[in-house]
Amino acid sequence: MKVAVASGKGGTGKTTVAVSLALALGGSVPIQFLDCDVEEPNGHLFLKPVYTREEEVTLLVPEIDENKCNYCGTCAKICNFNAIAVAGRKVLVFPELCHGCGACSRFCPEGAIREVPFRIGVVASGRAGSIEMVEGRLDIGKPLAPPVIKAVKKHAQPDKDVIIDAPPGTSCPVVAAINGSDFCLLVTEPTPFGLYDLKLAVEVTRELGIPCGVIINRSTSTDGDVEKYCYQEGIPVVLKIPFDQRYAACYAQGHPLVLKFPEWIPAFKELWQRIVGMVKKGV
Amino acid sequence: MFELLVISGKGGTGKTSLVGALAMLAKNKVLVDCDVDAPDLHLLLHPEEESSNEFWGGYKASINIERCTRCGLCEEACRFEAIKDFRIHPVFCEGCGVCFRLCPVGAVEFKQLAVGYWYISRTNFGPLVHARLGVGEENSGKLVTVVRQAARNLARERGLNLIIIDGPPGIGCPVISSLTGVSLALVVTEPTVAGKHDLERVINLARHFRVPTVIAINKFDLALEKSEEIEKYCAQQGLEIVGKIPFDEEVNRALSRGQSFLTVKHSKAACAVTSLWEKLQVRLGS
Ligand code: SF4
Ligand code: SF4
Ligand code: SF4
Ligand code: SF4
């Protein structure tokens, strides 16, 4: 089973949920935790893994052979991402803008373009107790998160239960992170910002055909609007975590909720069982 | 013209609430929401739309089944796994055009699509430029650039000398597009382990693009020792802390009424943000 934990709005408690779920299940079944929030990976701050491997994530970007190039300008015209410019007798490559699509090298009439790896991030892997952990980190100043996310997801093993910590938002990095999951947990908070962004996140899961359930974090007496929305849309509210000063302090110090408050372990185990049930029934 | 960008690295630190409050304090400015994939500022500012414009993003390919001879060349060449069984999934297509150029029988259609909208609106606190990117779309960076350009034009037309931008979370493409060329970045953080970690990454990003940076700690009193760690870190980095905002229940209470907490006079958060604004004005040179 592959379960993604996402949220349209950032800071709603996505990592708290993903980490708690991994720790609650970790003792009994093999769990893989994939931190796909590669712009701001936080899972390691709570799980404190020991990383034993680090691999670079690279994109294939063009390199021009000046001996073969006749400055025809075809590559610049073909590139849809403005990553190549031909100015007089000079070809300029902007690797930060390149998507690594391979169009320029494929269609250069002179065969003057070779593809070379360009580093955009790293993937670290190791263990946190019984949990196998993989984390992606986008290099500072590199714009493209999706290739790093995809590199993290390559580590997912089919025989394990996989928990994915997805990035916030609703655009391409989120799609890259949650695509292929059996279920998506959407963590929200009962504020107008939380509800508005939840609606957008639900649209993403529908676009990808992934069933979802909602977790209301920092739940108070003001949950009504979120619950009403979920009810209307037929989305189950699968867990509520009340607002509690002690939980906030626990999070601030970098402690996982279920380690400081083990009374939450059964709730996360039940949550997992419920998801398994829903996925099996195909809802 | 002065462009002030408010960012946070980590989401949920109170960035948009702070921008909502600055909107009430600052005069003669254009407001911009650059968090184009989850824009929230309108929930505080209640804009009235003056004009709406289509955003033409990248290209998308699609296969004309009647022409396709099922040779499979396109599927093999697409590096984004967007083609399966002679169909192209629009969400995964990055619009590179390889399939379109490669198809021997011209069965691939390749079109630029409207993938979002951007708006110029009226609010009680001045004009707002905001946008909405279709869910799951790419090119959020490009939309940010369009929105920022529109804001500059508007500021020039109306003789306004300040632009306040609500930026997106993270450090990736839309953040980079929001950051390049602004006059000052105000990073809003929170006193948590994660907040500090993400703050360091976003500070390095701002440094990479040579943008002057100042810091605000939101809800600083929820974990005083973490706030101190952040202050120490900022001092080491030579970064000014322009404000420490206490936790205040009025923030969310006002928000659920669709209002900024600044409307609650003498609330703790309102007082702190007012003095933050005074410090910022020094940096803005006015
Ligand atoms: S397409 Fe090839 S030959 Fe033409 S300018 Fe580009 S690299 Fe040079
Ligand atoms: S690989 Fe694609 S994106 Fe990169 S420069 Fe070549 S055409 Fe442009
Ligand atoms: S345009 Fe590029 S990304 Fe889109 S389907 Fe064709 S080859 Fe794949
Ligand atoms: S390359 Fe053209 S003909 Fe061949 S499978 Fe793709 S669309 Fe069909």
Side-chain angles (χ1 to χ4, degrees), chain B residues 39 45 47 108 113 131 171 178 186 214 219-220 249 281 283:
Chain B
L45 300 180
V108 177
L113 298 178
I171 60 160
S178 304
L186 166 61
V214 294
K219 305 179 198 161
F220 81 95
E249 281 175 16
Q281 275 174 301
R283 295 294 292 242

Side-chain angles (χ1 to χ4, degrees), chain A residues 39 99 115 138 170 197 252-253, chain B residues 37 40 94 136 171-172 225:
Chain A
E39 293 178 46
H99 283 225
E115 293 189 288
L138 180 68
T170 61
D197 295 349
Q253 301 302 333
Chain B
D37 66 295
D40 283 341
E94 299 202 4
I171 60 160
E225 67 290 9

Side-chain angles (χ1 to χ4, degrees), chain A residues 9-11 38-42 44-45 78 80-81 99-103 106-107 115 137-138 140-143 169-172 175 179 191-193 196-197 200 203-204 207-208 245 251-254, chain B residues 9-12 16 37-40 42-43 77 79-80 91-92 94-96 98 101-102 110 132 135-138 170-173 176 190-194 197-198 201 204-205 222 225-226 255-256:
Chain A
K9 180 178 174 345
V38 304
E39 293 178 46
E40 301 290 12
N42 285 160
H44 68 103
L45 299 170
I78 279 179
N80 265 341
F81 309 102
H99 283 225
C101 70
R106 187 183 278 273
F107 297 110
E115 293 189 288
R137 244 176 275 143
L138 180 68
I140 304 285
K142 305 286 162 64
T170 61
S171 59
C172 44
V175 170
N179 176 38
T191 65
F193 291 169
Y196 183 81
D197 295 349
L200 301 176
E203 275 185 62
V204 180
E207 183 91 19
L208 295 172
Q245 202 80 269
Y251 173 81
Q253 301 302 333
Chain B
K10 179 175 168 12
T16 299
D37 66 295
D40 283 341
H42 65 279
L43 298 170
R79 294 220 175 136
F80 307 102
V91 169
F92 303 117
E94 299 202 4
C96 67
V98 166
R101 286 179 210 286
L102 199 67
F110 196 55
R132 176 73 197 98
V135 297
E137 288 296 344
E138 288 145 46
I171 60 160
C173 120
I176 290 175
E190 61 176 28
T192 64
V193 171
H197 173 266
D198 297 353
R201 278 171 73 81
N204 285 330
L205 184 75
L222 283 189
E225 67 290 9
K226 278 275 162 295
L255 174 59
S256 52

Side-chain angles (χ1 to χ4, degrees), chain B residues 61-118:
Chain B
S62 61
I63 293 176
N64 179 339
I65 287 296
E66 276 158 34
R67 280 204 179 172
C68 171
T69 60
R70 305 183 163 241
C71 70
L73 279 176
C74 56
E75 183 170 335
E76 206 186 291
C78 174
R79 294 220 175 136
F80 307 102
E81 288 158 43
I83 311 181
K84 229 177 239 140
D85 302 330
F86 316 105
R87 287 181 52 153
I88 298 178
H89 198 308
V91 169
F92 303 117
C93 172
E94 299 202 4
C96 67
V98 166
C99 55
F100 165 69
R101 286 179 210 286
L102 199 67
C103 175
V105 295
V108 177
E109 283 160 22
F110 196 55
K111 285 195 210 119
Q112 200 179 15
L113 298 178
V115 294
Y117 289 89
W118 60 273

